[in-house]
Amino acid sequence: MTQARVLITGAGSGLGQALAQRWAAAGAAVACADIDPARAGHTCAQLAGSGHLALEVDVAGDASMQRLHGAVLGHWPAPLDVLVNNAGIAAGGRLVDTTIQEWRELLEINLLGVVRGCRAFLPAMIEAGRGHVLNVASFAALAGGPGIMTYGVSKAGVYTLSEQLRAELHGTGVGVSVACPAFFRTNLLANWRGDARMREVARRLTENATDTLDQVADRIFAATARGQFLILPTGREAMRWRLKRYAPGLYFRQLMKLVASRRNAEPGR
């Protein structure tokens, strides 16, 4: 059997690195792409098995994504089996406090980075009639919560893109999944943009999260292997998503109570 070929962006740390480890352990050859080539190389060196690649990419750049496509094609002339669009950055703050520069940066990386990945690698997958795309969004895409405006909107774009792409690819042999985790213990704040107060809120939520990086990676990997579309890999989010869908008014009231309780728990209040 031919070794499966998997490309993961943002594979230099965090969830991207954990997913790379799982695909490698399953016997795949993994292309670890990251904006920091040293981090990509570090991940690649850790992986079980053989045939792995360490590559540099800035998903916010058209030319950089084209170079990544050429590098992958040079090593693997056959189409990818799995494309994981994982690279992204986090931000927080109210709409009135955001800058246009922050909007541009979040949309270029979090949303258009996914678009670039799909545009580069999907045509060959469609032609081959097989493969799978996993886009990493966030529960912020679905939650409708305050204080994470640029991040939530950029990730909502990833969710909607994935939903429409699933419909477009129906019958082609190429599947689509979108992962929407809430807070879990990882390096979410490493590339933070925006409001410092919201960064502190995110830090506390990350540190207090009950879901670990390994648990989230295991759940995403298993659900992708099953061909599941919407993946909610953190503990409470499946229930919250159902509540929002079937009782949106109640969901909003509960959301506002949760926001108020967190504000009252902030230092100095």
Side-chain angles (χ1 to χ4, degrees), residues 15-16 19 22-23 84 86 132 134-137 177-181 184 213-229 231-234:
L15 182 58
L19 291 173
R22 278 145 183 81
W23 258 289
V84 182
N86 167 72
H132 202 89
L134 167 62
N135 295 326
V136 178
S177 296
V178 58
C180 294
F184 62 99
L213 171 61
D214 283 337
Q215 288 173 327
V216 170
D218 284 342
R219 293 164 187 165
I220 292 174
F221 176 76
T224 303
R226 293 193 300 269
Q228 184 174 323
F229 171 66
I231 305 170
L232 299 171
T234 45

Side-chain angles (χ1 to χ4, degrees), residues 36 42 47 61 69 71 89 100 110 112 166 180 183 197 201 205 212 239:
D36 184 337
H42 177 69
L47 299 183
H69 179 256
I89 58 174
I100 290 298
N110 289 357
L112 293 181
R166 179 194 189 194
C180 294
F183 289 98
R197 186 187 67 82
V201 172
L205 291 171
T212 68
M239 177 271 293

